Amino acid sequence: MRRAVCPGSFDPITNGHLDIIARASRLYDEVYVAVMINKSKKGLFDIDERIDLIRQVTSEYGNVRVEAFHGLLVDFCKQRDIPAIVKGLRAVSDFDYELQMAQMNNGLTGVETLFVPTNPTYSFLSSSLVKEVAQWGGDVSHLVPPQVLAALAERLRGD
């Protein structure tokens, strides 16, 4: 069984994230989406909401599992016998940071990191940018799945 993990905060998941997850799901038998728990940060969506949204938008892939994690990603990988981390790269600036992380992760446990170039359509996209545009009333319907768009609208109007 070939396993990989796509880690992130996913607050919220975007079409860019979904593109990387979908591509990983075609390459691996089982793909974990690891939702990072950072207790020092207050997200727009709590962990359970993020997990629920990710499960909804990845339900068409029969080989994607979604779980929360706190701590070192390599520990998450070791506990689940996952030998590979799949990360999307938007720009050279992503590569600088991600290369350091990949080298550290490999040095700690031998887990490999595979970099997938982001679809050019999503090369500028981030969860932070989506939240900022949505908070100011901008149209993000082409940047997130419909379920996420609905959740964003509900959250931002205070329902």
Side-chain angles (χ1 to χ4, degrees):
M1 173 88 57
R2 295 171 303 145
R3 290 185 180 94
V5 61
C6 294
S9 57
F10 304 105
D11 185 35
I13 190 167
T14 69
N15 288 340
H17 294 129
L18 199 52
D19 178 60
I20 298 298
I21 294 165
R23 290 159 67 190
S25 77
R26 291 190 297 269
L27 297 171
Y28 290 92
D29 299 317
E30 195 167 43
V31 174
Y32 284 78
V33 176
V35 183
M36 181 179 71
I37 298 171
N38 185 342
K39 295 187 190 292
S40 66
K41 280 187 166 180
K42 171 89 172 94
L44 183 62
F45 296 100
D46 68 31
I47 296 299
D48 291 335
E49 290 171 320
R50 291 182 221 174
I51 289 171
D52 183 53
L53 284 169
I54 296 166
R55 285 183 177 148
Q56 287 178 48
V57 301
T58 61
S59 63
E60 69 185 83
Y61 314 117
N63 62 340
V64 173
R65 298 177 64 174
V66 185
E67 294 183 16
F69 88 93
H70 178 65
L72 294 176
L73 181 59
V74 291
D75 291 338
F76 181 92
C77 292
K78 279 192 327 191
Q79 293 164 4
R80 291 158 185 80
D81 194 28
I82 299 172
I85 300 166
V86 176
K87 298 287 295 202
L89 294 178
R90 295 171 293 193
V92 172
S93 57
D94 284 350
F95 181 75
D96 290 339
Y97 173 76
E98 294 297 346
L99 179 62
Q100 291 177 29
M101 292 299 298
Q103 290 170 333
M104 177 62 77
N105 289 337
N106 185 266
L108 289 171
T109 62
V111 171
E112 295 290 349
T113 300
L114 292 111
F115 296 121
V116 178
T118 301
N119 180 322
T121 304
Y122 308 123
S123 63
F124 65 92
L125 189 53
S126 70
S127 295
S128 299
L129 190 56
V130 165
K131 288 185 288 193
E132 186 173 345
V133 170
Q135 286 172 335
W136 289 103
D139 179 13
V140 295
S141 61
H142 59 294
L143 305 175
V144 295
Q147 300 93 321
V148 175
L149 184 65
L152 269 171
E154 182 179 318
R155 178 61 39 91
L156 294 175
R157 71 173 176 260
D159 292 354

